[in-house]
């Protein structure tokens, strides 16, 4: 697969698993020398990494996963199979675009166990799509 530009992590409430996935994957890419989308890099960036939640009644600090977010993503990292199925059934996303991380909803964002598990699960994707850039 070619290097995805727009990556979204999705869980139920956008509080724990998806937020942690976004943080960890973003840090991986930065360490490898990639520029992530930001106010300082509007015109030139290598990847846009974000997170969202499927829950419609979440608080105001939650990015809502909807058809617009789903359609704009090159890759959707679903926290579990339930979220994967929401993307497929409700938002008509192709199965090939969605990767289920199969992480149960039992962790807090800063949980060392969650962070270690995400590092292990996400590293192969970072290795495939974003090899370290040569230092200048």
């Amino acid at each position: 697969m070619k290097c995805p530009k727009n990556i979204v992590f999705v869980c139920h409430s956008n509080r724990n698993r998806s937020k942690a996935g976004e943080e960890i994957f973003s840090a991986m890419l930065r360490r490898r020398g990639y520029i992530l989308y930001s106010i300082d890099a509007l015109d030139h960036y290598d990847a846009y990494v974000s997170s969202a939640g499927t829950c419609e009644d979440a608080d105001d600090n939650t990015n809502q996963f909807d058809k617009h977010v789903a359609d704009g993503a090159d890759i959707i990292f679903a926290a579990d199979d339930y979220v994967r199925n929401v993307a497929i059934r409700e938002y008509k996303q192709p199965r090939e675009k969605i990767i289920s991380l199969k992480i149960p909803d039992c962790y807090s964002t800063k949980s060392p166990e969650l962070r270690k598990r995400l590092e292990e699960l996400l590293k192969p994707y970072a290795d495939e799509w974003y090899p370290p850039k040569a230092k200048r």
Side-chain angles (χ1 to χ4, degrees):
M1 165 179 222
K2 75 178 184 103
C3 178
K5 186 101 169 179
N6 189 346
I7 300 160
V8 64
F9 287 84
V10 184
C11 69
H12 182 67
S13 63
N14 190 219
R15 288 191 192 114
N16 298 312
R17 297 172 294 168
S18 59
K19 287 281 189 195
E22 175 186 7
E23 288 173 13
I24 288 166
F25 202 68
S26 294
M28 282 181 178
L29 299 190
R30 283 190 192 99
R31 283 192 305 269
R32 293 163 181 252
Y34 290 90
I35 298 169
L36 300 184
Y37 178 86
S38 71
I39 195 72
D40 299 322
L42 295 175
D43 296 328
H44 177 72
Y45 61 94
D46 298 305
Y48 177 70
V49 182
S50 63
S51 62
T54 60
C55 181
E56 293 181 15
D57 60 348
D59 61 42
D60 292 340
N61 295 329
T62 299
N63 295 326
Q64 182 66 44
F65 184 66
D66 57 20
K67 180 110 174 95
H68 175 74
V69 172
D71 288 347
D74 296 320
I75 288 291
I76 299 168
F77 279 108
D80 55 36
D81 288 339
Y82 171 80
V83 173
R84 181 179 187 274
N85 290 335
V86 167
I88 292 168
R89 291 187 187 131
E90 290 184 34
Y91 301 118
K92 310 297 184 229
Q93 298 303 301
R95 293 177 187 279
E96 309 78 49
K97 180 176 170 176
I98 308 160
I99 298 166
S100 177
L101 297 172
K102 300 183 187 309
I103 298 174
D105 192 7
C106 62
Y107 300 101
S108 69
T109 304
K110 301 298 180 190
S111 161
E113 295 86 11
L114 172 61
R115 299 184 84 74
K116 182 176 189 280
R117 190 163 179 191
L118 282 166
E119 291 261 358
E120 291 169 353
L121 290 168
L122 296 173
K123 186 179 182 307
Y125 298 104
D127 288 346
E128 178 183 346
W129 300 330
Y130 297 95
K133 286 188 171 185
K135 302 223 182 209
R136 296 178 195 197

